[in-house]
Amino acid sequence: MAQVKFFATLRDITGKREMEIKNVKNVAELLQHLYEMFGDEFRKEIEERNMILVNGKNILDLDGYETKIKEKDEISIFPPAGGG
Amino acid sequence: MYGYWGKILRVNLSTGEIKTEEFGEDFVKKWLGTRGFGIHYLLKEMDSKVDPLSEENKMIFSTGALTGTTAPTGGRYMVITKSPLTGYIAMANSGGFFGAELKMAGWDAIIVEGKSNKPVYLRIEDDKVEIKDASHVWGKRVGETERILTEEFGDKHVQIASIGPAGENLVKFAAIMNNGHRAAGRGGVGAVMGSKKLKAIVVRGHKRVEVIDRSKFISVVREKTEKLKNDPVAGSGLPSFGTAVLVNIINQNGLYPTMNFRYGQFKYAEEQSGEAMAKKYLKRNKPCYACPIGCGRVNDMDTVGETEGPEYESTWAMGANLGINDLASIIEANHLCDDLGLDTISTGGTLATAMELYDKGLLKQDDLGDAPPFRWGNTEVLHYYISKLAKREGFGDVLAEGGYRLAEKYGCVDCFMGVKKQELPAYDPRGAEGHGLGYATDNRGGDHIKAYLISPEILGYPYKMDPHDISDEKVKMLILFQDLTAVIDAAGMCVFTTFGLGADDYRDLLNAAFGFNLSTEEWLKIGEKIWNAERLFNLKAGLKPLEEDTLPKRLTDEPMPEGPNKGHVVRLKEMVPRYYALRGWNEDGSISEAKLKELGLEEYI
């Protein structure tokens, strides 16, 4: 069982701060699952740009959407965001 | 001339003399504006070794090339002077509406020199400039000062840059405030203003800033504004949650400095995040002049009423950095800092230093008497000591000197988390090593805004870089960010535009305003010149590069204890020599003769 955390606008779209998820082997599969669950609004918010962390590490510094998800991993999903 | 009036106001507060000086297009092509203009005057006219709080120090309030135009975010001004906190260059930048109003009054910059022997303010109504008595507002807070001086002027559209009690009392990290909550915050520029007994600059302008070809300029402005509006960060993320959207992002990435940079994650970050703030307190957004982003927050609190902020930095400085988990207290503390005229980052950093010293038993309760103990997480510390330090009362007098001098006094310089005596901002560089090199080499000391490598290393702009890569590519990216930020600052635009715009976009806007035909590389060369000129000022002021282009030991020698960056330090020693070489500097960190010649800086040596 992995833990998925949503941030910023994704919380309004999903109505959740976090959820548990089972039986996904990588980030691509996780996203597919979430797109089916939360629909086009969710997809549009993060499809082009996003920040996805697995245990605090950006998937772009790991294996991108192929990054594996294991039991007890924590996945943080952000829409594009910045500040300073 | 277009874009500028070619007019500089020179005010000598010792003699009361007010003069107008002129400049031409060549000066713009050489120095562009704000930081560029400022460093030119400081290098030309002032010994870099002067005491920052003496009458020999000069202050330049300068607009930028696009300030007062319709360019997106084109409303900014900067204050350039010698910092009493670092002893090096200070160039503090502020938004709001003051900068645009100054330009619309027909002035591109003001040089303030000398020192008045009684409190005064500068009243500017277009061409009419007067030095007026400010005894009646001396001692007043920023909000009250703005209210009284606006009433006195008799025009609600007047814009005011002023200091609060902190600046008057020469607190080494006092800010200059405008529009109540917008700060030219860092480096103690407010203390320099206080040392000159200059309480405020009040300005009202009725002129329109002209560009060379209005219709062409408007079409370029429209194109760039659309780009910003369509950008998911500038057009959506920042307006929705403000800069505090970063609290969760930086915390989840494991570089949210907690308890004076002991840790990289704060257990209660969620409760003080931009998301939490928007839900509990947000009343509306508040954009600065000509800004399509509108990241400013107006929050509503039972205790202080409507207030603005806190920004990400301030939320952290008075929250996680002190182990404090109480958003309401953080918002109130931020309001208090604004009203007293204090830099929130250095205020929080100084209090964090005190907590570290207290925790180590170096600062004892006996030193504080009945005052609140500096325990991690003690919210009492905020209101009590912020009020005391602004007035230099009791232990506040020690705090008013900043974290470095506090740590030195209690025999633990390593307890101070800063660079060149200025407190660090809200990113632990053990989770973004290029950003750490940025801290170490910043001309104004511990600072994030002059080269925001968090963008590529964490946020992925303009593209994602591994935060633990320290290759030449990373060092070159830092240099590019330093030079480009100097251009954006000198253009009078906000650095948040970089989320939606690239270097070519700034070129287009600048060329369209002035009718120049400079390439992106030529504009960046001006940025490089500004960076080097500021470095030259610091070197002349006594900077010892090999000792001072550095980071606190905690960040270079103590591995991050937990979280995603566990085990990492900043490998600074491996980066600094390559940074010097890629800058074209000597191995000792001084600027090579060839580089000075290439940039046309020999006349300033």
Side-chain angles (χ1 to χ4, degrees):
Chain A
M1 193 102 62
Q3 190 80 8
V4 183
K5 291 187 166 185
F6 301 109
F7 294 91
T9 48
L10 300 181
R11 290 180 177 177
D12 291 332
I13 296 170
T14 62
K16 296 176 195 296
R17 272 193 193 184
E18 55 186 58
M19 61 182 281
E20 288 182 339
I21 199 146
K22 302 191 263 203
N23 303 326
V24 289
K25 68 169 195 252
N26 59 26
V27 173
E29 261 187 33
L30 169 68
L31 287 181
Q32 202 49 47
H33 188 79
L34 296 174
Y35 292 160
E36 281 163 23
M37 209 166 166
F38 299 115
D40 273 356
E41 202 186 347
F42 183 86
R43 178 195 289 270
K44 265 205 248 164
E45 197 72 4
I46 62 161
E47 197 168 31
E48 271 184 49
R49 277 157 65 177
N50 56 49
M51 179 192 286
I52 300 174
L53 312 176
V54 175
N55 301 324
K57 293 192 193 301
N58 196 310
I59 60 165
L60 296 177
D61 299 323
L62 302 169
D63 297 319
Y65 291 122
E66 300 301 315
T67 302
K68 288 195 171 45
I69 295 176
K70 302 185 299 294
E71 284 278 301
K72 294 187 182 165
D73 277 351
E74 181 184 284
I75 300 107
S76 310
I77 309 182
F78 297 85
Chain B
M1 188 168 29
Y2 297 97
Y4 285 118
W5 305 102
K7 274 173 68 181
I8 288 182
L9 180 64
R10 189 183 288 269
V11 178
N12 188 311
L13 294 174
S14 298
T15 62
E17 190 181 18
I18 296 172
K19 285 198 299 193
T20 303
E21 293 175 14
E22 296 187 349
F23 64 87
E25 262 187 15
D26 286 352
F27 188 58
V28 181
K29 281 187 175 165
K30 193 164 180 191
W31 291 111
L32 191 52
T34 62
R35 285 164 68 180
F37 288 179
I39 196 61
H40 160 81
Y41 284 106
L42 289 189
L43 283 171
K44 270 278 172 208
E45 299 182 359
M46 196 176 96
D47 180 351
S48 304
K49 290 196 162 58
V50 300
D51 172 355
L53 299 179
S54 70
E55 74 180 313
E56 283 77 33
N57 196 8
K58 299 191 185 202
M59 303 183 82
I60 295 102
F61 292 74
S62 181
T63 67
L66 300 171
T67 305
T69 69
T70 54
T73 75
R76 302 189 75 89
Y77 74 101
M78 292 185 82
V79 183
I80 304 95
T81 189
K82 182 172 177 178
S83 162
L85 185 67
T86 65
Y88 301 127
I89 188 78
M91 26 23 178
N93 187 317
S94 182
F97 295 81
F98 178 82
E101 196 72 21
L102 180 61
K103 182 81 84 70
M104 288 174 191
W107 301 103
D108 300 315
I110 307 169
I111 301 171
V112 178
E113 34 188 44
K115 190 181 235 181
S116 172
N117 53 22
K118 61 177 179 41
V120 292
Y121 76 92
L122 198 59
R123 185 190 190 279
I124 302 173
E125 188 171 17
D126 297 316
D127 299 335
K128 194 177 167 198
V129 181
E130 298 166 274
I131 300 170
K132 307 260 292 181
D133 176 58
S135 319
H136 59 309
V137 281
W138 197 253
K140 303 270 188 228
R141 293 184 178 194
V142 169
E144 182 75 345
T145 301
E146 287 189 2
R147 190 185 61 72
I148 293 170
L149 294 181
T150 302
E151 230 165 63
E152 203 165 290
F153 202 102
D155 183 342
K156 67 177 182 182
H157 298 296
V158 77
Q159 297 296 329
I160 297 167
S162 70
I163 54 169
E168 295 174 14
N169 293 320
L170 312 181
V171 175
K172 285 206 161 59
F173 44 94
I176 296 172
M177 306 299 298
N178 58 281
N179 303 99
H181 301 277
R182 292 283 135 197
R186 305 225 67 196
V189 293
V192 180
M193 201 160 156
S195 74
K196 299 190 177 308
K197 291 261 191 312
L198 179 62
K199 178 69 177 173
I201 299 176
V202 182
V203 62
R204 181 73 176 109
H206 298 86
K207 300 176 188 182
R208 189 165 90 166
V209 180
E210 295 295 347
V211 292
I212 191 161
D213 179 343
R214 182 150 286 271
S215 65
K216 187 180 171 197
F217 185 68
I218 287 172
S219 90
V220 176
V221 166
R222 275 200 189 126
E223 183 212 328
K224 308 307 178 194
T225 304
E226 277 310 300
K227 255 182 139 168
L228 286 168
K229 283 185 173 166
N230 293 327
D231 177 79
V233 176
S236 170
L238 275 169
S240 301
F241 297 103
T243 53
V245 75
L246 283 178
V247 172
N248 276 328
I249 295 175
I250 301 303
N251 193 57
Q252 290 295 310
N253 277 276
L255 63 157
Y256 194 52
T258 299
M259 295 162 71
N260 203 32
F261 289 73
R262 286 185 177 187
Y263 312 103
Q265 287 186 314
F266 187 46
K267 199 159 56 163
Y268 305 108
E270 176 63 46
E271 291 165 45
Q272 48 199 244
S273 63
E275 289 94 325
M277 208 185 302
K279 198 167 235 173
K280 279 192 190 159
Y281 300 109
L282 179 65
K283 203 161 180 196
R284 61 179 182 278
N285 290 22
K286 189 171 181 187
C288 298
Y289 174 87
C291 178
I293 303 171
C295 68
R297 322 267 81 193
V298 176
N299 284 320
D300 200 3
M301 296 278 301
D302 291 343
T303 45
V304 294
E306 272 199 13
T307 184
E308 287 179 42
E311 303 293 336
Y312 166 69
E313 288 292 336
S314 316
T315 306
W316 160 80
M318 291 176 284
N321 198 31
L322 307 175
I324 285 177
N325 170 34
D326 179 8
L327 183 54
S329 295
I330 295 167
I331 296 176
E332 285 163 17
N334 179 70
H335 180 86
L336 188 61
C337 284
D338 287 355
D339 218 19
L340 294 169
L342 284 164
D343 171 32
T344 53
I345 299 176
S346 284
T347 300
T350 301
L351 296 176
T353 310
M355 285 185 170
E356 178 96 33
L357 292 167
Y358 192 89
D359 189 53
K360 285 189 155 64
L362 298 167
L363 171 61
K364 297 184 168 48
Q365 191 61 40
D366 284 352
D367 300 314
L368 307 172
D370 293 337
F374 275 106
R375 280 197 206 101
W376 298 114
N378 182 8
T379 51
E380 271 187 305
V381 159
L382 291 174
H383 190 276
Y384 183 86
Y385 287 109
I386 291 170
S387 304
K388 289 288 179 193
L389 74 87
K391 293 182 201 150
R392 284 188 176 268
E393 286 174 357
F395 193 70
D397 193 35
V398 182
L399 297 171
E401 293 294 300
Y404 177 83
R405 291 164 182 89
L406 171 68
E408 194 179 39
K409 183 180 165 78
Y410 286 92
C412 181
V413 169
D414 291 340
C415 293
F416 169 68
M417 300 305 294
V419 173
K420 299 182 177 75
K421 301 187 178 73
Q422 176 160 269
E423 294 72 13
L424 286 177
Y427 309 89
D428 190 316
R430 287 174 293 186
E433 296 188 53
H435 195 67
L437 179 64
Y439 286 162
T441 57
D442 197 304
N443 287 323
R444 65 174 185 167
D447 174 61
H448 65 297
I449 212 79
K450 299 293 164 223
Y452 191 60
L453 262 255
I454 293 301
S455 245
E457 294 192 299
I458 302 297
L459 304 173
Y461 302 94
Y463 57 88
K464 182 74 176 68
M465 297 181 99
D466 185 330
H468 298 294
D469 164 56
I470 56 165
S471 67
D472 280 1
E473 188 195 350
K474 182 67 72 65
V475 178
K476 282 178 190 165
M477 184 61 102
L478 176 73
I479 292 170
L480 172 65
F481 266 55
Q482 289 175 336
D483 295 348
L484 177 61
T485 303
V487 173
I488 298 167
D489 280 349
M493 291 177 70
C494 174
V495 287
F496 288 173
T497 53
T498 53
F499 290 113
L501 303 181
D504 292 346
D505 294 307
Y506 302 104
R507 171 204 63 197
D508 295 346
L509 283 160
L510 288 164
N511 282 342
F514 289 91
F516 296 163
N517 193 26
L518 299 185
S519 65
T520 302
E521 291 67 33
E522 286 170 305
W523 286 114
L524 284 171
K525 204 75 191 164
I526 299 176
E528 185 188 358
K529 178 165 37 187
I530 293 171
W531 190 267
N532 277 267
E534 290 166 346
R535 174 83 173 182
L536 181 60
F537 180 90
N538 286 354
L539 289 163
K540 288 169 76 172
L543 176 75
K544 297 183 189 74
L546 299 177
E547 288 169 39
E548 293 180 89
D549 290 341
T550 189
L551 289 169
K553 268 193 191 146
R554 177 164 294 168
L555 307 177
T556 53
D557 293 18
E558 294 176 25
M560 180 73 94
E562 57 185 35
N565 298 299
K566 186 175 176 181
H568 285 283
V569 293
V570 185
R571 289 163 290 169
L572 191 68
K573 281 186 182 153
E574 294 176 46
M575 290 189 280
V576 169
R578 282 186 286 126
Y579 172 83
Y580 289 166
L582 287 164
R583 271 266 174 225
W585 295 350
N586 299 319
E587 282 179 11
D588 64 2
S590 60
I591 309 172
S592 65
E593 271 181 44
K595 182 53 77 177
L596 289 166
K597 193 172 173 198
E598 176 195 323
L599 295 170
L601 291 174
E602 303 121 297
E603 61 175 302
Y604 296 92
I605 300 170

